[in-house]
Amino acid sequence: MGQAPKELTPTASPLHFFGAQLRELRETAGLSQAELGRVTLNSADLVRKIETAERAASRQFVDRCDEVLCGGGMLRRLWPLLERERELRSTIADQRDHGTLGPSARAEDRLVLDWLLAHNAGDVGPEPPQLDLATHAAERLMRFREVDHLQGAGRTYPEVADVVRRDLQKLSQTAPSVAIGYLELAGYEAVDLGADTQARGHYLRALEITTRTGNRLYGGYLIGVSLAHLALHGGDARHAIRLVNAGLRGVADCATPAVRAAIQVVAARAHARLGDERASAAALHQVDVDLDRSRPAEEPEWIGYFGPADLADEKAHCFFDLGLHDRAQDEAATAIGLLHPSRMRRLAIDSSLHATSLARSGDLDRACAVAHEAIDYTAGTTSFRSAHRVTMMLAELHPHATIPSVREVNDYARTVLADAPVSLADLPG
């Protein structure tokens, strides 16, 4: 008697979801693992390991299986997510094997420490008068941010990165706040394209400029929000907490309430990821207290984005990670209701979270209805992050694939999301 196939948890990671999809397509085609191995020029053992998420598939394997199994692009769409997962696992394994931080993490720690020890406490003084280059760059930066918020990073990252490559040195001298703004946006967009290493590089260059120019408050934001969110995005919640604490300590004498709240909410997310409901609730309470004290006229302009919709989004993620699905669904619905219809990336992410939470709590009819909306929003973006979220939403629905409403969602996703999610490797330059 043959050995029963190993059970998969599609929601555990993109590797598990890919394995489940591959097994389903292979069995539908009536092929054994050995037969699929022969037609793809691989061993049966490799097919088995990929199906059980023990090995990451190569691009060639993914393309060949999609073709042989008539996947209609289903497997190819998962390749960028598999590649990011492979890179994350490689980084974690390297740190475990060597018992130390990698070069990029050591550089991050050094620059954070440099910032903490800098004597120029307080906020930045007046900048030099902006030259024509800086004025033009500042105007373009505003437009880039608008497009990024609307549709995701794929539309603007090549141009943003080109400005950084070509003009950063001059901008850091004549208009350091503009230079920092470009680097922060480039980092945020790199995250949106699944390129965590590039994102960290952009953020650290921005931190160097804030340290040199004395822009203490923005330095704290970069550490406690940008870099901490990046750590959370990479699965290291404990490091995110360390970065939050460093950011808060460094701006203790100059932080405004809204900036403190934006940093504290990352702590709430990290504690929730670790399953610490009490610590997450305490951080969220402090966020609410700070926001009640905040006066827009007294806040820096760059923190103006952090409003009720963003707070509801962050709370929804906290409650989801804690398994408090009624509260997660309420906050996700609040965030979606407050967002402007043009904010497709944020709507895609929050709708995916909402649908995933509904599915996890057993409300499949509502989950499928919201899943349709998430798919539509994602189709309007060029955002790896949105595609990742909607993929994991589909993974949550995968165990119920025989239910007509779920089957219809899967068919709709295959039709509407025919192309693979955009990633940094797809973009020019």
Side-chain angles (χ1 to χ4, degrees):
M1 181 180 293
Q3 189 175 16
K6 176 183 175 182
E7 288 191 14
L8 289 167
T9 306
T11 56
S13 73
L15 266 67
H16 280 257
F17 186 45
F18 179 84
Q21 296 279 51
L22 177 62
R23 178 183 289 172
E24 183 177 302
L25 287 172
R26 176 180 61 76
E27 291 178 347
T28 299
L31 297 177
S32 68
Q33 292 175 340
E35 289 168 334
L36 179 59
R38 281 196 293 273
V39 296
T40 61
L41 304 180
N42 291 287
S43 67
D45 188 55
L46 178 65
V47 174
R48 177 190 64 79
K49 286 181 177 178
I50 291 174
E51 280 194 5
T52 55
E54 296 174 41
R55 284 277 300 273
S58 68
R59 178 66 178 267
Q60 184 179 19
F61 180 88
V62 173
D63 288 345
R64 184 63 177 145
C65 285
D66 199 272
E67 179 183 349
V68 167
L69 300 176
C70 302
M74 179 196 305
L75 298 180
R76 287 193 182 99
R77 285 199 72 259
L78 293 174
W79 162 251
L81 283 72
L82 298 178
E83 181 64 5
R84 179 177 181 274
E85 183 76 12
R86 184 193 64 77
E87 291 176 357
L88 286 175
R89 289 189 176 198
S90 177
T91 299
I92 293 169
D94 184 64
Q95 292 177 2
R96 183 186 64 241
D97 293 344
H98 294 88
T100 184
L101 297 174
S104 61
R106 288 197 298 269
E108 179 182 289
D109 281 356
R110 176 180 60 78
L111 290 171
V112 170
L113 183 60
D114 288 347
W115 175 81
L116 279 169
L117 295 176
H119 295 294
N120 47 6
D123 211 353
V124 66
E127 288 190 358
Q130 290 192 8
L131 304 179
D132 288 343
L133 169 66
T135 302
H136 177 62
E139 292 171 351
R140 292 186 73 198
L141 178 59
M142 290 179 62
R143 292 196 296 271
F144 287 146
R145 281 176 172 153
E146 290 172 358
V147 176
D148 173 78
H149 284 313
L150 293 174
Q151 297 177 323
R155 301 288 185 193
T156 61
Y157 182 80
E159 293 181 81
V160 172
D162 184 60
V163 173
V164 168
R165 183 169 50 249
R166 187 183 64 244
D167 299 327
L168 184 67
Q169 185 173 356
K170 291 180 181 177
L171 288 172
S172 66
Q173 298 299 323
T174 60
S177 66
V178 177
I180 293 166
Y182 268 98
L183 288 167
E184 193 275 335
L185 177 59
Y188 187 81
E189 291 196 323
V191 172
D192 197 39
L193 294 168
D196 295 6
T197 300
Q198 288 88 336
R200 179 179 288 104
H202 291 312
Y203 288 149
L204 292 180
R205 291 178 75 186
L207 183 59
E208 286 182 294
I209 298 175
T210 66
T211 302
R212 174 174 57 80
T213 59
N215 194 339
R216 190 77 171 180
L217 189 57
Y218 204 90
Y221 176 86
L222 284 168
I223 294 168
V225 177
S226 300
L227 285 168
H229 257 306
L230 180 61
L232 197 58
H233 191 61
D236 194 344
R238 296 189 188 281
H239 186 48
I241 293 171
R242 289 193 293 271
L243 290 166
V244 164
N245 290 337
L248 288 172
R249 180 179 301 175
V251 298
D253 59 350
C254 65
T256 62
V259 174
R260 265 198 314 271
I263 298 174
Q264 282 280 8
V265 84
V266 186
R269 288 280 304 273
H271 286 303
R273 189 71 60 85
L274 293 169
D276 191 339
E277 183 176 348
R278 178 177 296 181
S280 182
L284 287 176
H285 173 71
Q286 188 58 52
V287 170
D288 288 333
V289 170
D290 282 333
L291 288 180
D292 283 344
R293 294 172 178 168
S294 177
R295 300 294 177 265
E298 299 170 3
E299 297 285 352
E301 184 180 356
W302 46 263
I303 201 64
Y305 77 89
F306 189 64
D310 295 86
L311 179 57
D313 162 82
E314 300 282 13
K315 287 182 175 181
H317 281 84
C318 288
F319 296 141
F320 178 84
D321 287 338
L322 290 167
L324 304 173
H325 289 293
D326 287 345
R327 298 179 70 182
Q329 291 155 27
D330 287 344
E331 294 293 348
T334 296
I336 292 166
L338 291 172
L339 286 165
H340 191 276
S342 63
R343 295 283 300 276
M344 287 193 180
R345 177 178 57 202
R346 177 53 58 193
L347 286 164
I349 290 171
D350 287 343
S351 296
S352 296
L353 178 72
H354 192 189
T356 303
S357 181
L358 287 164
R360 194 162 290 188
S361 60
D363 193 343
L364 292 178
D365 287 339
R366 287 180 63 203
C368 288
V370 178
H372 271 275
E373 297 173 2
I375 292 165
D376 286 338
Y377 288 131
T378 301
T381 72
T382 54
S383 164
F384 175 93
R385 195 157 47 114
S386 298
H388 182 275
R389 292 300 186 89
V390 84
T391 297
M392 299 318 294
M393 174 194 76
L394 295 172
E396 193 69 45
L397 292 168
H398 186 269
H400 312 286
T402 57
I403 297 175
S405 58
V406 175
R407 186 167 60 245
E408 198 275 330
V409 166
N410 288 328
D411 291 342
Y412 187 66
R414 280 194 286 271
T415 301
V416 175
L417 304 175
D419 297 327
V422 65
S423 67
L424 199 60
D426 302 319
L427 300 176

